[in-house]
Amino acid sequence: MKREQLYELAWVLPSIAIPVGMLVALLVTAFGMGIHVPTHVGTVDPQHLATTPPFDKPGVVETAPGTYHATLVAQVWFFEPKEIRVPVGSEVTFEATSRDVIHGLRIQGTNVNLMIVPGQVSRATARFDRPGEYLVVCHEYCGLGHHTMAGKVIVEP
């Protein structure tokens, strides 16, 4: 091979390998790790959450052995409920909406990462196989008290 062909090959191979590597990384995160774009699953009137089930009584309900449903309402500057308790090995489906402005819901150490928009219901499911406290934070700036908007999921042995 001529020197010019070697230089050309040195540029062509990385230009093919980089997009292929990015595609592999995308496929691994989308399918192998269960990371996907959450979608809203319904709508509610944010002005009437106090009378709209299940948001009229936010909290955790056991739907089957080891399976829980957590209903959350976000508002300036807290989550209701502030604390969720489940036993280790639980699968929890989180369903959330906002009473006032756009909020975020990120549960550290899990794949739960939701945008919480007034009038929209967002849903995500996570499995808690390790006991401990999982911090719940708002990741969308929602006003002056945004930095205080937090909660926790307590996984009990």
Side-chain angles (χ1 to χ4, degrees):
M1 265 189 178
K2 294 182 181 180
R3 174 175 266 181
E4 293 83 19
Q5 290 174 327
L6 288 174
Y7 287 140
E8 186 175 326
L9 188 62
W11 283 102
V12 169
L13 289 178
S15 68
I16 294 171
I18 290 172
V20 168
M22 292 172 64
L23 181 61
V24 167
L26 180 66
L27 291 173
V28 166
T29 57
F31 298 107
M33 298 177 69
I35 298 173
H36 59 280
V37 177
T39 59
H40 78 279
V41 293
T43 57
V44 294
D45 182 354
Q47 302 301 319
H48 298 99
L49 290 180
T51 58
T52 305
F55 300 103
D56 57 340
K57 296 178 184 163
V60 183
V61 176
E62 186 174 18
T63 56
T67 306
Y68 294 84
H69 185 270
T71 303
L72 292 108
V73 175
Q75 68 183 52
V76 176
W77 291 286
F78 65 92
F79 293 107
E80 186 181 353
K82 189 171 183 73
E83 185 177 287
I84 295 170
R85 291 182 178 269
V86 294
V88 70
S90 298
E91 182 175 277
V92 183
T93 299
F94 296 91
E95 195 169 74
T97 192
S98 172
R99 191 178 304 277
D100 44 31
V101 298
I102 295 175
H103 296 281
L105 180 105
R106 171 81 176 108
I107 303 176
Q108 293 181 345
T110 71
N111 64 342
V112 176
N113 185 348
L114 297 172
M115 289 290 296
I116 304 177
V117 179
Q120 291 185 359
V121 179
S122 298
R123 184 182 296 152
T125 301
R127 184 165 185 81
F128 295 92
D129 291 324
R130 286 178 291 155
E133 290 187 5
Y134 294 79
L135 184 63
V136 178
V137 295
C138 175
H139 60 71
E140 286 294 321
Y141 183 73
C142 55
L144 293 174
H146 166 72
H147 64 285
T148 64
M149 190 168 175
K152 56 185 155 183
V153 175
I154 299 173
V155 180
E156 301 169 330

